[in-house]
Amino acid sequence: MVRMKMKKKIDIEIIDKKQIPQSEPERQYYFMDIAKNYVEQLAAKKGSPLTFHVTTFGCQMNARDSEKLVGILERIGYVETDTEEADFVIYNTCTVRENANNKVYGRLGVLQNYKKKNPHMLIGLCGCMMQETVVVEKLKESYRFVDLIFGTHNIYKFAELIVTAMESDSMTIDIWKDTDQIVEDLPVERKYSFKSGVNIMFGCNNFCSYCIVPYVRGRERSREPKEIIREIEQLVADGVVEVMLLGQNVNSYGKNLKEPVTFAQLLEEVEKIEGLERIRFMTSHPKDLSDELIEVMGRSKKICKHLHLPLQSGSSRILKIMNRRYDKEHYLELVDKIRAAVPDIALTTDIIVGFPGETEEDFEETMDVVRKVRYDSAFTFIYSKRTGTPAASMEEQVPEDVIKARFDRLLKEVQKISAEKAEALTGQTLPVLIEEQNEQDASLVTGRLSNNSVVHLPGTADMIGKILDVKLTECRGFYYLGERADGNGQTV
Ligand code: SAH
Ligand code: SF4
Ligand code: F3S
């Protein structure tokens, strides 16, 4: 750890540390107690509780990590606020595309102004972007007002790092290259009471040639099935009805455990948990999607009727250079098999436009897959060059205007198909998990179908967290309007 010694920055009475536990998670609970004492001292000086704000960029993994950060901050006495004008602001960053990084630099300028007004303020940065050496160098150079920087591998040490940052007068930086450690049983504060992400694995071993994730998230590590089951059982006891199992490639779950387990086997165990109603998972890599998984999905009562199956490109030639290890034909076969086993399943995908060397013919292959599969929805991305990945040094980067034109064509096609597909469910009555009160209209609540589509219906806050039968009365492109089918609601 780099720690530049000087006088401490915030005025606290430093606690003399004795007998720091060496094992985890005990060590972190010990530091939470110390941090709690410091937070109390600062709150007494300020005359009101200290506030925090966690801003999350990126994917579901980061969202889940942020819940762990919040869990610790609340435990040590900080109170959440919805503005970044807080006593502790932390950015949990993403670096999958260049624009994710630019957003962070832009917003740091605003935080610097808040910090000038508030002597108690601490600014922390963590997440994927911090695993890049160039980023940390830039922060050390031009963003000296940041107090704490750590990465993806040592997030479990957050309590200990807060104590270090509070006791130090300059930037505390702790970045690990990789880890084989998985620390269980730290505090977590869920954003939703009724649904939760559950990490089943960390890292990625696939090295798709455009992707930075394996470099910033490290090697693939699976959690023990019994730890996953125990966590879900606790969540269910605490009111959770839906879980989203998280991993960069859930289909290769369990391969490296001492006693190997397949993802399909894990799903069957999760299915047995009484009180759990819905199971989702993200993300499925086509190369590892097994017949066993398709079978389990076919007979499951709880696995949601939605599969996110990233295509990236429809051109077998480009897929090879992308190192995806499947081709167009294999992908289309998979789609047929899945639809045969689960006829009403919604399929969604990720597509990259403008990968180096992508020709008009390659792009047409992507359009062809889009037309053949008819995705319920698709996330489309413009290729972003990530330093250090093999694709970044490939010649033949596609000109921006060509990419833009292809992107627009793809988006139009994807949107047209999504709208047509959505229309098909209108008039049906289906179970909806009510998730929140509608932001624009408080007389409405918003929920999701098993296939992940959004539904708005008249309702009240007490419906949140319940699965109710809803008649889909109208389709508005990407969402539905509905009404309770049990006679307890009125039409929108
Ligand atoms: N593990 C998941 C994807 C995680 S990243 C999988 O393999 O499917 C989420 C999505 O970001 C990817 O599916 C890809 O479409 C997109 N992405 C990743 N790197 C990118 C890059 N360099 N430029 C543009 N999009 C990228
Ligand atoms: Fe990136 Fe490929 Fe790993 Fe997904 S599977 S995170 S796209 S390297
Ligand atoms: Fe971004 Fe890291 Fe997720 S780079 S997409 S937050 S794994």
Side-chain angles (χ1 to χ4, degrees), residues 152-175:
T152 54
H153 303 303
N154 53 351
I155 185 165
Y156 75 86
K157 271 184 67 185
F158 185 42
E160 185 170 350
L161 291 165
I162 293 175
V163 169
T164 311
M166 284 181 164
E167 291 177 351
S168 149
D169 191 37
S170 47
M171 251 187 194
T172 299
I173 305 174
D174 193 13
I175 309 283

Short mmCIF file of all heavy atoms in Angstrom, two decimals, residues 152-175:
data_model
loop_
_atom_site.label_atom_id
_atom_site.label_comp_id
_atom_site.label_asym_id
_atom_site.label_seq_id
_atom_site.Cartn_x
_atom_site.Cartn_y
_atom_site.Cartn_z
N THR A 152 -10.78 -3.70 -7.59
CA THR A 152 -11.88 -4.66 -7.54
C THR A 152 -11.57 -5.86 -6.63
O THR A 152 -12.47 -6.51 -6.14
CB THR A 152 -12.17 -5.22 -8.95
OG1 THR A 152 -10.95 -5.73 -9.48
CG2 THR A 152 -12.68 -4.14 -9.87
N HIS A 153 -10.26 -6.13 -6.42
CA HIS A 153 -9.89 -7.36 -5.71
C HIS A 153 -9.92 -7.21 -4.20
O HIS A 153 -9.99 -8.19 -3.47
CB HIS A 153 -8.50 -7.83 -6.14
CG HIS A 153 -8.41 -8.04 -7.62
ND1 HIS A 153 -9.24 -8.89 -8.30
CD2 HIS A 153 -7.61 -7.48 -8.55
CE1 HIS A 153 -8.94 -8.85 -9.59
NE2 HIS A 153 -7.96 -7.99 -9.77
N ASN A 154 -9.81 -5.96 -3.72
CA ASN A 154 -9.72 -5.77 -2.26
C ASN A 154 -10.89 -4.96 -1.72
O ASN A 154 -10.78 -4.34 -0.67
CB ASN A 154 -8.39 -5.10 -1.90
CG ASN A 154 -8.15 -3.82 -2.69
OD1 ASN A 154 -8.89 -3.51 -3.62
ND2 ASN A 154 -7.15 -3.07 -2.31
N ILE A 155 -12.00 -5.01 -2.42
CA ILE A 155 -13.18 -4.27 -1.97
C ILE A 155 -13.62 -4.75 -0.58
O ILE A 155 -14.13 -3.98 0.22
CB ILE A 155 -14.31 -4.37 -3.03
CG1 ILE A 155 -15.50 -3.52 -2.62
CG2 ILE A 155 -14.71 -5.77 -3.35
CD1 ILE A 155 -16.49 -3.26 -3.73
N TYR A 156 -13.35 -6.03 -0.28
CA TYR A 156 -13.74 -6.54 1.05
C TYR A 156 -12.98 -5.83 2.17
O TYR A 156 -13.37 -5.87 3.32
CB TYR A 156 -13.52 -8.07 1.12
CG TYR A 156 -12.08 -8.49 1.24
CD1 TYR A 156 -11.44 -8.56 2.47
CD2 TYR A 156 -11.32 -8.81 0.10
CE1 TYR A 156 -10.12 -8.94 2.59
CE2 TYR A 156 -10.00 -9.17 0.20
CZ TYR A 156 -9.41 -9.25 1.45
OH TYR A 156 -8.09 -9.59 1.55
N LYS A 157 -11.87 -5.15 1.81
CA LYS A 157 -11.06 -4.44 2.81
C LYS A 157 -11.52 -3.00 3.01
O LYS A 157 -10.81 -2.18 3.58
CB LYS A 157 -9.59 -4.39 2.32
CG LYS A 157 -8.76 -5.58 2.75
CD LYS A 157 -7.32 -5.38 2.31
CE LYS A 157 -6.62 -4.25 3.04
NZ LYS A 157 -5.27 -3.98 2.52
N PHE A 158 -12.69 -2.66 2.52
CA PHE A 158 -13.15 -1.27 2.53
C PHE A 158 -13.07 -0.63 3.92
O PHE A 158 -12.59 0.49 4.08
CB PHE A 158 -14.58 -1.22 1.98
CG PHE A 158 -15.15 0.15 1.83
CD1 PHE A 158 -14.40 1.20 1.31
CD2 PHE A 158 -16.48 0.41 2.18
CE1 PHE A 158 -14.95 2.47 1.15
CE2 PHE A 158 -17.03 1.68 2.02
CZ PHE A 158 -16.26 2.71 1.52
N ALA A 159 -13.49 -1.37 4.97
CA ALA A 159 -13.50 -0.80 6.32
C ALA A 159 -12.07 -0.43 6.73
O ALA A 159 -11.81 0.67 7.25
CB ALA A 159 -14.09 -1.80 7.30
N GLU A 160 -11.15 -1.33 6.47
CA GLU A 160 -9.75 -1.09 6.83
C GLU A 160 -9.17 0.10 6.06
O GLU A 160 -8.45 0.93 6.60
CB GLU A 160 -8.96 -2.37 6.51
CG GLU A 160 -7.51 -2.33 6.94
CD GLU A 160 -6.84 -3.71 6.82
OE1 GLU A 160 -7.54 -4.72 6.59
OE2 GLU A 160 -5.61 -3.75 6.97
N LEU A 161 -9.58 0.21 4.79
CA LEU A 161 -9.09 1.31 3.96
C LEU A 161 -9.67 2.65 4.40
O LEU A 161 -8.99 3.68 4.34
CB LEU A 161 -9.42 1.04 2.49
CG LEU A 161 -8.64 -0.13 1.88
CD1 LEU A 161 -9.27 -0.57 0.56
CD2 LEU A 161 -7.18 0.27 1.65
N ILE A 162 -10.91 2.65 4.87
CA ILE A 162 -11.50 3.90 5.38
C ILE A 162 -10.68 4.38 6.56
O ILE A 162 -10.34 5.57 6.67
CB ILE A 162 -12.98 3.69 5.81
CG1 ILE A 162 -13.85 3.37 4.61
CG2 ILE A 162 -13.52 4.92 6.54
CD1 ILE A 162 -15.30 3.01 4.98
N VAL A 163 -10.33 3.46 7.46
CA VAL A 163 -9.55 3.83 8.65
C VAL A 163 -8.19 4.41 8.21
O VAL A 163 -7.77 5.47 8.66
CB VAL A 163 -9.38 2.61 9.59
CG1 VAL A 163 -8.36 2.91 10.67
CG2 VAL A 163 -10.73 2.24 10.19
N THR A 164 -7.55 3.74 7.26
CA THR A 164 -6.26 4.24 6.76
C THR A 164 -6.42 5.65 6.18
O THR A 164 -5.63 6.54 6.47
CB THR A 164 -5.71 3.30 5.66
OG1 THR A 164 -5.79 1.98 6.12
CG2 THR A 164 -4.28 3.65 5.30
N ALA A 165 -7.46 5.84 5.38
CA ALA A 165 -7.67 7.14 4.74
C ALA A 165 -7.95 8.22 5.79
O ALA A 165 -7.46 9.35 5.67
CB ALA A 165 -8.82 7.06 3.75
N MET A 166 -8.70 7.88 6.82
CA MET A 166 -9.04 8.88 7.83
C MET A 166 -7.80 9.27 8.64
O MET A 166 -7.69 10.40 9.11
CB MET A 166 -10.11 8.34 8.76
CG MET A 166 -11.48 8.35 8.13
SD MET A 166 -12.70 7.73 9.27
CE MET A 166 -14.20 8.28 8.49
N GLU A 167 -6.90 8.32 8.82
CA GLU A 167 -5.72 8.59 9.65
C GLU A 167 -4.59 9.23 8.84
O GLU A 167 -3.58 9.64 9.41
CB GLU A 167 -5.21 7.27 10.27
CG GLU A 167 -6.17 6.71 11.31
CD GLU A 167 -5.70 5.37 11.86
OE1 GLU A 167 -4.74 4.80 11.31
OE2 GLU A 167 -6.31 4.90 12.84
N SER A 168 -4.74 9.27 7.52
CA SER A 168 -3.66 9.76 6.69
C SER A 168 -3.98 11.16 6.17
O SER A 168 -5.14 11.55 6.10
CB SER A 168 -3.48 8.79 5.52
OG SER A 168 -3.04 9.48 4.40
N ASP A 169 -2.94 11.88 5.78
CA ASP A 169 -3.21 13.22 5.25
C ASP A 169 -3.18 13.28 3.74
O ASP A 169 -3.45 14.31 3.14
CB ASP A 169 -2.21 14.23 5.80
CG ASP A 169 -2.67 15.63 5.46
OD1 ASP A 169 -3.90 15.88 5.50
OD2 ASP A 169 -1.83 16.48 5.10
N SER A 170 -2.82 12.18 3.08
CA SER A 170 -2.81 12.26 1.62
C SER A 170 -3.47 11.03 1.03
O SER A 170 -4.02 10.21 1.75
CB SER A 170 -1.38 12.41 1.13
OG SER A 170 -0.58 11.47 1.78
N MET A 171 -3.39 10.94 -0.27
CA MET A 171 -4.06 9.84 -0.98
C MET A 171 -3.67 8.48 -0.44
O MET A 171 -2.49 8.20 -0.31
CB MET A 171 -3.59 9.88 -2.43
CG MET A 171 -4.59 10.33 -3.40
SD MET A 171 -3.88 10.10 -5.06
CE MET A 171 -5.04 11.06 -5.98
N THR A 172 -4.66 7.64 -0.14
CA THR A 172 -4.39 6.25 0.20
C THR A 172 -4.71 5.43 -1.04
O THR A 172 -5.82 5.53 -1.57
CB THR A 172 -5.30 5.80 1.36
OG1 THR A 172 -5.00 6.63 2.49
CG2 THR A 172 -5.08 4.34 1.72
N ILE A 173 -3.70 4.69 -1.51
CA ILE A 173 -3.91 3.91 -2.74
C ILE A 173 -3.60 2.45 -2.45
O ILE A 173 -2.53 2.12 -1.94
CB ILE A 173 -2.98 4.39 -3.88
CG1 ILE A 173 -3.16 5.90 -4.12
CG2 ILE A 173 -3.25 3.61 -5.17
CD1 ILE A 173 -2.19 6.47 -5.13
N ASP A 174 -4.55 1.57 -2.74
CA ASP A 174 -4.31 0.14 -2.54
C ASP A 174 -4.95 -0.62 -3.70
O ASP A 174 -6.17 -0.77 -3.77
CB ASP A 174 -4.92 -0.31 -1.20
CG ASP A 174 -4.44 -1.70 -0.80
OD1 ASP A 174 -3.47 -2.19 -1.41
OD2 ASP A 174 -5.02 -2.29 0.12
N ILE A 175 -4.11 -1.04 -4.63
CA ILE A 175 -4.60 -1.76 -5.81
C ILE A 175 -3.87 -3.11 -5.87
O ILE A 175 -2.65 -3.15 -5.79
CB ILE A 175 -4.26 -0.99 -7.12
CG1 ILE A 175 -4.70 0.47 -7.06
CG2 ILE A 175 -4.85 -1.71 -8.33
CD1 ILE A 175 -6.16 0.72 -7.22
#
